Amino acid sequence: MDTNDNKSYTKYYIIAWSFGLVFYFLDYVIRSAPAVMIPELSHSFSVTEVGLVSIIGTYYYTYSTCSLIAGIALDRFGAKYSLFAGALILGIGCLLFLISSQVAGTTGRLFQGAGCAFAFPGCVYLASKGFSAKSLATAIGFTQCLGMLGGSAGQFVVGPLIEKGIDNTVFWLWIGVFTIIVAFGLYFVTPANRTEKIEAVTPKKQSLLSPYKIVFSNPQSWLCGIISGLLFAPTTIFAMTWAVDFFQKDRALDFHTATISSAMVAFGWVFGCPLLGYITDKIRKRKPVLMFGALFMILSLVQLLYFPELLPTKISMFLLGVGSGAAMIPYSIIKEANPDNVKGSATGAINFITFGVTTILSPIFSHLFGKTLADNTDKALHFQQAGTFWIIGIAIAILVSFILKETGEGKVNNSDELTAKGTTGNLIKE
């Protein structure tokens, strides 16, 4: 009877996880959409294109820092209230883009980053409650698949709409309203946190920061975040921010082709994330798949930069996206390298480190290559140098992977089952 009760509760977490995927899909639509409306937003906020990219980049300031808050909130209050708050903040951030001022644009983008910080940790938290450890990497891969489908839609779908003359304020109005509706949907669908009952019979309460003390004191957590950040950056900074501009000015592609080519990276994630996650679960090893994906990214970039005649640009970008699905494997490793009672904080921590890396690399890339995009004389060389920047980062990620400990050899098989049994037992006692 206890087992049936636990299975029933697990079912509700899976339903909530499915609904949370909508929030995560919107996260990536909103994250990637500004890349296809840079001239329109520049005019709306009365800034230059480089100034607009700076505004867009503020997303990662709040995204990385609020990932820590999201982790604490998930471990303390569960996904019900955390996901509701995150989606609501995200919706408000979108509506702020309706105001034609630089301050409103910056504030809106900061709100968007803060709200989106709750999406992926919340989905992973729900997945870890609803799926067994042997299926967790596949579930995380599928989660990221839906997110990147949103990233692809943010360019594939929004780009042609903008090209046809749809005002960008119409997009931000409807995406904002829909996100707020999703926020209330999450509130009603997500189960309340069961740990509240457990805490009633727990004599000693932990401080709010104690989960992060555990996670950040583990060197493996830092290695996971650094690797993921270096593999994620070519997607978040290049494909979702600069690629359309680079393809138009360095490769002389028209807007439509540049948009489609840029969106193909996110589309590649749709296949790469679940595929690589499934392979890691099948072979029960994380590192070989992680390194293979990173190496595949390098090969894709080398072909794009130095042998562009071999494959169409959109195919090269698609292959880059497939390989970059490996950036999600550290999200499985960090959860396996840390105790089960800090699941939410572990995801918040890796998000913080991952997008901390993005926050550092974004202004560096903009300074080295973004500012010289319009006035450089050798377009081919400029494009190659910009791409080599990402190849170096990926190569560093591979080197760091060698000192990362393998966690995928059945070391956590029983952890979730033990946690579930302990949780059920405490509830029955109460």
Side-chain angles (χ1 to χ4, degrees), residues 88-111:
L88 184 63
I89 292 169
L90 175 58
I92 294 171
C94 293
L95 295 180
L96 284 171
F97 264 36
L98 299 175
I99 304 173
S100 298
S101 80
Q102 184 176 351
V103 174
T106 302
T107 304
R109 197 59 175 167
L110 289 170
F111 268 53

Side-chain angles (χ1 to χ4, degrees), residues 161-238:
L161 290 176
I162 297 298
E163 192 178 16
K164 289 178 181 178
I166 298 295
D167 196 286
N168 72 88
T169 56
V170 174
F171 167 78
W172 292 111
L173 172 63
W174 284 107
I175 199 76
V177 171
F178 184 67
T179 303
I180 291 173
I181 293 172
V182 170
F184 283 95
L186 281 165
Y187 180 82
F188 291 111
V189 169
T190 308
N193 192 14
R194 299 176 80 187
T195 58
E196 292 175 2
K197 294 186 177 181
I198 299 171
E199 286 174 1
V201 295
T202 304
K204 184 180 179 181
K205 286 189 177 181
Q206 292 183 324
S207 69
L208 285 174
L209 297 179
S210 57
Y212 283 121
K213 193 178 296 183
I214 296 171
V215 177
F216 282 120
S217 63
N218 184 351
Q220 297 300 302
S221 301
W222 289 96
L223 296 177
C224 287
I226 291 169
I227 293 167
S228 183
L230 291 172
L231 297 183
F232 222 119
T235 300
T236 55
I237 301 173
F238 180 66

Side-chain angles (χ1 to χ4, degrees), residues 57-124:
T58 59
Y59 173 100
Y60 297 106
Y61 297 160
T62 47
Y63 187 94
S64 57
T65 53
C66 287
S67 292
L68 297 177
I69 298 173
I72 292 175
L74 286 164
D75 283 332
R76 279 282 167 175
F77 309 111
K80 183 180 183 72
Y81 304 107
S82 302
L83 286 173
F84 168 71
L88 184 63
I89 292 169
L90 175 58
I92 294 171
C94 293
L95 295 180
L96 284 171
F97 264 36
L98 299 175
I99 304 173
S100 298
S101 80
Q102 184 176 351
V103 174
T106 302
T107 304
R109 197 59 175 167
L110 289 170
F111 268 53
Q112 290 169 23
C116 286
F118 288 81
F120 184 71
C123 286
V124 171

Side-chain angles (χ1 to χ4, degrees), residues 3 11 19 45 90 104 107 116 125 150 180 186 188 206 208 223 244-245 336-337 339 350 383 393:
T3 304
K11 177 182 69 176
F19 203 80
F45 298 144
L90 175 58
T107 304
C116 286
Y125 179 91
I180 291 173
L186 281 165
F188 291 111
Q206 292 183 324
L208 285 174
L223 296 177
V244 174
D245 237 12
E336 295 165 343
I350 191 172
F383 191 78

